[in-house]
Amino acid sequence: MSGDHWDWPFLTDDHRALAISLDEWAALHLTTPSGLAVDDRCRELVRLLGGAGWLRYTVAGKAFGGSREELDTRALCLFRETLARYDALADFAFAMQGLGSGAISLAGDDEQKRRYLPRVARGQALAAFALSETDAGSDVAAMSCAARADGQDYVLDGEKTWISNGGIADFYVVFARTGEAEGARGISAFIVEAGTPGLHIAERIEPMSPHPLARLRFEGCRIPAARRIGAPGEGFSIAMRTLDVFRTSVAAAALGFARRALAAAIDHATTRNMFGGKLSDFQLTRAKLAHMATTIDSAALLTYRAAWERDRGRSVTREAAMAKMAATEGAQQVIDAAVQLHGGRGVVHDHPVERLYRDIRALRIYEGATEVQQLIIARELLRDATLTRVP
């Protein structure tokens, strides 16, 4: 296991037992290189995770294959932390099943849930979340992809980009402008199945940490109105509710990467011979290790506080933003320190800490870049100050 933090009071005995079981499973299934291409490896990981029952935690509703009636944020976090510590692509595969189907869990009708969620939970269908556009990433309300009502259908036109699982997903939750109002209030959410006429994989994108990523293009893509999630104009709210659940889990994934880096740094420092002793004998090395450990525990406290608060039914907009910012920025620092301690070995392609250096970078951007988290935190602070100010 990665430490004593599973004993913190944020977690229940059920969470602790789940963490132990998952760690034992990951040690058996995620430590041997597969040799498969990225797309095939993702499909294999989804099948493995589904077959083991782990993907039941990514969907809500026992009647629809979920482990619980509501999404358990703390469980999602411990899954992502553990999987990320072993295999970045396994963490990605797990997270996308949850993020890609999250809107259906949170706002779908029973028919939509019956059609999609059990297959997600069993690892039989890959999900994707299509929100970002070239000019509408952090500013979601600026999206231009549009859905026009036409009888009993909607017709989608436009593009989405930076779509994880793009090109291999079995269905996409797509957010498009439907025009009920200006800005964020005129956006709706839709389920678009792969193979629907008018849906094209316009470009496959190759990120520095390999995983399936693509630009989608919609040209007269006709879908039944029954595939709209929620009411017209509710798409932005549904997207934000989905991100509020999974943003905290991004912080947990960063913790997993950071813990792996710290373990590698300690192992290297205590075995590397230098000037008649070990690298770990030097005060500078010890100071660096101490800072790495403190950074990880600080971020972990913020992460599991946010998850605990959400599972208690509280709004965690500020807490989730703090957790994501602290964990992803802190993990970047920890991993950079691990690379530095490894010296030349740390920059050799496919060395564990070199892979972590590539794996962590995107987490500081997706699901809200660090700068966006800073704006969110400041906005919440100023709003609270205004509400509590004494006249």
Side-chain angles (χ1 to χ4, degrees):
M1 294 293 287
S2 57
D4 297 330
H5 63 298
W6 298 135
D7 290 330
W8 289 351
F10 295 123
L11 301 175
T12 67
D13 287 341
D14 286 345
H15 289 123
R16 296 182 188 101
L18 181 62
I20 293 169
S21 296
L22 177 63
D23 186 79
E24 292 172 349
W25 180 88
L28 287 173
H29 294 90
L30 301 179
T31 54
T32 303
S34 70
L36 294 173
V38 170
D39 287 2
D40 291 336
R41 178 59 174 160
C42 277
R43 294 186 183 98
E44 178 187 64
L45 285 166
V46 168
R47 287 194 296 270
L48 278 172
L49 290 163
W54 303 132
L55 294 180
R56 294 183 300 113
Y57 291 86
T58 67
V59 303
K62 293 182 178 180
F64 309 110
S67 65
R68 304 179 185 185
E69 293 304 326
E70 304 290 339
L71 290 170
D72 184 327
T73 315
R74 288 169 291 177
L76 292 171
C77 285
L78 68 86
F79 267 99
R80 293 204 64 183
E81 180 180 342
T82 301
L83 293 173
R85 189 158 44 85
Y86 280 95
D87 185 333
L89 205 55
D91 165 63
F92 167 84
F94 176 87
M96 284 312 305
Q97 290 299 92
L99 181 63
S101 66
I104 303 173
S105 282
L106 294 172
D109 60 35
D110 283 353
E111 177 56 32
Q112 291 167 348
K113 291 178 179 180
R114 278 192 293 268
R115 184 179 179 91
Y116 297 101
L117 295 184
R119 291 190 292 143
V120 169
R122 293 192 296 264
Q124 295 171 343
L126 277 71
F129 183 79
L131 180 66
S132 296
E133 299 179 11
T134 301
D135 295 320
S138 298
D139 183 9
V140 174
M143 72 171 57
S144 60
C145 182
R148 169 177 55 86
D150 184 19
Q152 297 301 308
D153 298 332
Y154 279 89
V155 180
L156 272 66
D157 288 285
E159 289 195 353
K160 295 291 179 180
T161 194
W162 315 117
I163 307 306
S164 292
N165 271 353
I168 68 169
D170 294 288
F171 68 89
Y172 301 81
V173 171
V174 179
F175 297 85
R177 184 163 298 288
T178 43
E180 288 76 20
E182 295 295 323
R185 292 178 297 170
I187 295 169
S188 300
F190 303 91
I191 304 167
V192 182
E193 296 186 353
T196 301
L199 165 59
H200 306 282
I201 308 302
E203 176 189 14
R204 290 299 299 269
I205 301 169
E206 298 293 333
M208 61 193 297
S209 178
H211 69 268
L213 194 66
R215 176 167 58 90
L216 313 180
R217 185 170 65 249
F218 301 92
E219 295 179 321
C221 181
R222 183 175 292 272
I223 58 170
R227 302 278 171 84
R228 188 190 66 230
I229 304 173
E234 289 186 349
F236 182 83
S237 173
I238 291 169
M240 294 305 104
R241 287 170 59 198
T242 305
L243 291 173
D244 268 353
V245 175
F246 290 95
R247 183 171 286 136
T248 305
S249 79
V250 177
L255 290 176
F257 292 149
R259 292 190 193 280
R260 174 79 178 270
L262 177 59
I266 291 172
D267 181 69
H268 180 72
T270 54
T271 56
R272 172 76 162 94
N273 295 318
M274 184 173 285
F275 298 114
K278 302 294 183 184
L279 179 59
S280 58
D281 294 333
F282 294 94
Q283 288 185 343
L284 284 173
T285 302
R286 294 185 176 198
K288 194 178 290 289
L289 293 172
H291 184 72
M292 294 163 75
T294 303
T295 298
I296 291 171
D297 268 13
S298 299
L301 285 164
L302 285 172
T303 299
Y304 285 99
R305 179 192 70 167
W308 172 68
E309 290 280 23
R310 189 195 172 276
D311 285 343
R312 295 171 70 203
R314 299 190 177 185
S315 172
V316 294
T317 300
R318 182 177 65 180
E319 290 81 359
M322 286 180 169
K324 183 181 186 295
M325 180 177 73
T328 57
E329 293 292 328
Q332 182 80 65
Q333 296 169 18
V334 168
I335 292 167
D336 184 75
V339 170
Q340 193 74 9
L341 283 170
H342 277 78
R345 293 179 178 85
V347 294
V348 174
H349 182 70
D350 227 25
H351 186 282
V353 295
E354 187 272 340
R355 288 199 306 272
L356 288 168
Y357 196 82
R358 288 183 280 117
D359 291 336
I360 188 56
R361 189 60 185 84
L363 271 66
R364 294 169 59 200
I365 296 173
Y366 74 67
E367 292 194 38
T370 295
E371 292 75 13
V372 173
Q373 306 311 318
Q374 291 171 332
L375 293 174
I376 291 171
I377 295 164
R379 181 195 68 200
E380 295 294 306
L381 287 172
L382 294 171
R383 187 198 64 184
D384 290 348
T386 300
L387 292 174
T388 58
R389 183 175 292 131
V390 178

